[in-house]
Structure formats: structure tokens, C-alpha cells
Amino acid sequence: MPSKVFSADTLAPYPITKEAFETRYNKILQVSREKYSISKDIIEQKIYKSMKDLEEEDQKHQNHIQELKDKNKLEKRK
């Protein structure tokens, strides 16, 4: 005798009150923020450091360009 055919029936959702839902929702948000977020101060420090590094690199590049221009001017005068 063949076995019973697979049934995709599921159970009805567990009844939950609005207060219980909000409690779970807030707990999930809290745990997620604790686990995956980084404080605003740390992010701002990283951004400011990156911007400072970019500005320094840009200044070095501008100085190098100016040195090349000055060198070309000297060579043309000779």
C-alpha cells in the first residue's frame, strides 16, 4: 500500500497581541543594532581621517604638478 501523499498544509499563525508584537519587534531592533552597528563617533572619525588623507594626497599631487611646471619653465629658458 502506498504512503500518504505529501501535504503542504501548515499550522495557523500563533495569535499574538499588539503589545507582544511590539515587544518582540523592539527587542529584535535592539539586538540587531548592538550586533551590527558602529557608533556614530567612530564612523565620523573614519570619514574625517579619510578626507584628511585625500586632501593631503591632493596637495602632494598639486605640488608635484607645480614642480614639473617650474622645471619645464627653467628648461625652456635655457
Side-chain angles (χ1 to χ4, degrees):
M1 172 168 237
S3 64
K4 184 176 176 183
V5 177
F6 172 74
S7 172
D9 290 341
T10 61
L11 299 174
Y14 182 78
I16 187 167
T17 64
K18 184 175 181 178
E19 293 82 18
F21 174 81
E22 289 177 1
T23 301
R24 283 186 192 168
Y25 179 81
N26 290 329
K27 181 66 175 177
I28 290 169
L29 283 179
Q30 176 189 355
V31 170
S32 178
R33 287 176 178 152
E34 289 172 0
K35 186 172 182 178
Y36 299 109
S37 68
I38 299 173
S39 78
K40 181 181 173 186
D41 294 335
I42 292 173
I43 297 300
E44 286 177 345
Q45 287 174 0
K46 287 183 177 183
I47 291 171
Y48 294 142
K49 183 183 180 314
S50 295
M51 291 300 295
K52 183 179 176 186
D53 291 347
L54 288 172
E55 289 171 354
E56 288 173 358
E57 286 296 319
D58 185 51
Q59 186 61 44
K60 286 179 187 177
H61 180 70
Q62 293 299 326
N63 290 343
H64 180 70
I65 290 173
Q66 188 61 43
E67 288 172 5
L68 291 174
K69 287 180 180 179
D70 293 344
K71 183 179 177 183
N72 282 340
K73 285 180 184 178
L74 287 175
E75 288 177 358
K76 286 182 180 180
R77 288 183 187 171
K78 291 181 180 181

